[in-house]
Amino acid sequence: MSDIEKTLDQCRKPQGDEGKEIVEKMNKNHYEVTGWGLQMLTIEDDSQVIDLGCGGGKTVQRLAIHTPEGKVFGLDYSEDCVDWANEMNHRAVEEGKVVIIRGEVENTPFEDENFDVATAVETIYFWPDIQKSFKEIHRILKTGGQFLIINEAYPDEKNKEKNKVYEDVGNMVIPSPEELTSWLTEAGFKDIAIELEEEKNWLRALARK
Ligand SMILES: C[S@@+](CC[C@H](N)C(=O)[O-])C[C@H]1O[C@@H](n2cnc3c(N)ncnc32)[C@H](O)[C@@H]1O
């Protein structure tokens, strides 16, 4: 396996010592793009929130600050990420304000209409079935609930080569705004707003159930 393959493999499912290193980098390196994306959300003091593919749990920690009377769940299919996100949020976990669980985005253990907000930061590229996952997220959101996607890449001319390497080597899907709009609409979402930061190749998408 080449270095880039190893890195992307760990981004897909961080595990072990190498995974821990990657997660620590992601906690730092995704901070700015995450802040930019989170500006789209309206979060109430008592919102019920879920961060899907939560990795090291940094976004969970940020969301918890915005929901002083609410609750934030983090979900990840990597057992190690569940441990690391629990460590990152240990005080809030002890207080029952944050819950980190192991699970798959495409098949979560939650009842219908559970959450006001769902976020997915730098993760949908790796989901085995994005369309199925969007339907699942639609199911667990309350009517009027918000789904926010934050991606540090979308297909464009300037970043074509870099993104092609990711897609080929990392077996990733880097969706365009048009694809996202179509898949979100198909899953039942409405009021879809997608914004780009062209200089940085960033994308933020907000949709409502
Ligand atoms: C690139 S990391 C991003 C982590 C975190 N959101 C961040 O911004 O730092 C992708 C994360 O999504 C998780 N993930 C990927 N596919 C998943 C799936 N189908 N179900 C649950 N978690 C998934 C991985 O385990 C990993 O922690």
Side-chain angles (χ1 to χ4, degrees):
M1 233 192 223
S2 66
D3 284 352
I4 177 94
E5 269 175 291
K6 276 192 208 150
T7 302
L8 292 174
D9 205 48
Q10 283 294 349
C11 290
R12 169 181 299 281
K13 191 172 190 180
Q15 298 178 92
D17 292 343
E18 277 175 35
K20 174 98 174 127
E21 253 179 61
I22 296 273
V23 155
E24 280 169 4
K25 279 192 192 146
M26 292 195 293
N27 283 339
K28 285 199 192 95
N29 297 347
H30 296 170
Y31 194 82
E32 194 189 342
V33 70
T34 304
W36 175 74
L38 291 178
Q39 290 167 9
M40 285 188 110
L41 279 182
T42 310
I43 307 187
E44 307 295 338
D45 283 359
D46 62 351
S47 287
Q48 298 290 310
V49 180
I50 182 159
D51 184 42
L52 302 151
C54 68
K58 191 70 195 167
T59 302
V60 169
Q61 191 183 53
R62 292 175 88 168
L63 289 165
I65 294 166
H66 293 284
T67 56
E69 290 146 35
K71 195 160 181 164
V72 182
F73 285 76
L75 176 138
D76 205 288
Y77 66 1
S78 156
E79 203 166 334
D80 284 344
C81 282
V82 171
D83 289 346
W84 299 326
N86 266 314
E87 278 168 29
M88 162 80 63
N89 293 280
H90 68 96
R91 194 164 304 155
V93 169
E94 275 163 26
E95 288 166 2
K97 214 193 129 30
V98 161
V99 178
I100 310 289
I101 66 160
R102 188 180 182 197
E104 289 165 0
V105 175
E106 52 278 13
N107 184 22
T108 74
F110 301 105
E111 288 177 7
D112 295 357
E113 307 256 336
N114 224 294
F115 295 101
D116 300 292
V117 172
T119 55
V121 182
E122 280 285 275
T123 178
I124 69 167
Y125 326 105
F126 301 105
W127 295 356
D129 189 336
I130 298 181
Q131 283 153 285
K132 184 174 175 207
S133 305
F134 283 3
K135 287 180 187 150
E136 176 66 0
I137 294 159
H138 187 270
R139 182 187 73 73
I140 63 174
L141 275 174
K142 295 177 190 172
T143 302
Q146 303 158 82
F147 175 34
L148 175 70
I149 298 165
I150 301 173
N151 283 357
E152 228 175 6
Y154 63 86
D156 79 342
E157 204 46 44
K158 204 170 72 182
N159 296 281
K160 210 161 119 184
E161 293 307 315
K162 177 196 77 175
N163 289 344
K164 186 164 167 33
V165 172
Y166 288 162
E167 290 194 302
D168 290 351
V169 178
N171 193 22
M172 295 164 63
V173 175
I174 301 182
S176 65
E178 295 73 25
E179 282 168 322
L180 283 177
T181 303
S182 151
W183 299 338
L184 287 165
T185 305
E186 213 177 283
F189 286 99
K190 54 185 188 180
D191 301 338
I192 300 162
I194 300 186
E195 294 175 5
L196 308 175
E197 170 55 83
E198 290 181 19
E199 272 304 304
K200 297 178 169 157
N201 196 222
W202 291 355
L203 175 152
R204 58 184 182 185
L206 185 70
R208 229 170 241 288
K209 175 166 175 178

